[in-house]
Amino acid sequence: MSSGPEEIAQAIARLKAGGVVAFPTETVYGLGADAFNEDAVAKVFALKGRPATNPLIVHVSGSSMARRVAADWPARADRLARSFWPGPLSLVVPKAPDLPSIVTAGLPAVALRSPLHPLTLALIDAADTPIVGPSANRSGHVSPTTAEHVRREFDGGDVLVLDGGPCQGGIESTVVSLLSPTPRVLRLGLVTPEQIAHCLGRIVDIGPAPADEAPVPSPGQLPTHYAPHAPARLVAREAVPALLAERSADAIVVVDTRSHPGVRTVVLPAEAREYAAGLYAALRRADDMNPGLIAIVAPERKNRDGALWDAIVDRLARATAPRP
Ligand code: AMP
Ligand code: MG
């Protein structure tokens, strides 16, 4: 059931009182607190078990609120915001001095975005404050794409969950840094590097920032991330029979765009957009079956949507990375 005006009013009161509210976006659900309230932001870190060295994205209603959080709002930021906000693009710009440094993990820059969800835009507008919003999951775990995922993630925690239905996008926002003359895509997502380059009329770099710009690694850049509890492996479809021969079929759940006879399979759509939208729910469903191994079949990547497949494969690689 979608939340209504009553729940929104409760959520606003909660934010103003320094509490934590989970909110829907077009990407994944976020775990929100007033970005200018240091104690409230600390609760978000604590609930997630997120290392203090990992900065949070700040959600704003639009460019004018972004200017309250940014020390500098360059013309390029304005241009991208005009084209892609509200939407799945986070912009890294110098932070305002009065934004608590806990938000940015001590970095001099902040990531900002305006989410495309009417409930959450109404919430930010009415609360009249920017809200931090990392994904509403325990650190390192699969991101939530339904309100139910969030409730299960923080069962017993003091989190008010706004229900805005299943997320339409399904993977996290694209993060682009505007700190150097050449924009740099730090995290792939639903807005493609090509769209950014086209909007700005210049080339963009892709990949982690050079060490002098980013002394601390960002959370999305950690090798293990978005991971189910069960061990997960990225495999070729042809390798599935051999896996089944190696272990009992009961011990395995396959995630693929096709079903496999004789083994439990969570089937995802073959088109990139639908695959992305369903991916995290599929990983959670596979996990719920308590397998010894989740075998994720590398998607076929149809010729279209190459950049979106890149973003998906990035998530799959981190979900299946060797665990420390
Ligand atoms: P999450 O909130 O879990 O979706 O992850 C936050 C993402 O935002 C990370 O992947 C970082 O790349 C990025 N991020 C947040 N704040 C900053 C910042 N101040 N500088 C660079 N990247 C950031
Ligand atoms: Mg996250």
Side-chain angles (χ1 to χ4, degrees), residues 28 48 50 54-59 90 92-93 103-105 107-112 133-135 137 143 172-173 175 177 179 186-187 214 217-221 225-226:
V28 303
K48 279 183 66 78
R50 179 151 169 146
N54 284 344
L56 307 182
I57 292 175
V58 176
H59 291 66
S90 300
V92 177
V93 293
V103 173
T104 62
L107 293 173
V110 61
L112 293 171
S135 50
N137 53 271
S143 302
E172 301 77 6
S173 64
V175 179
S177 168
L179 299 179
L186 299 174
R187 178 172 73 186
S218 301
Q221 321 308 125
H225 208 80
Y226 320 120

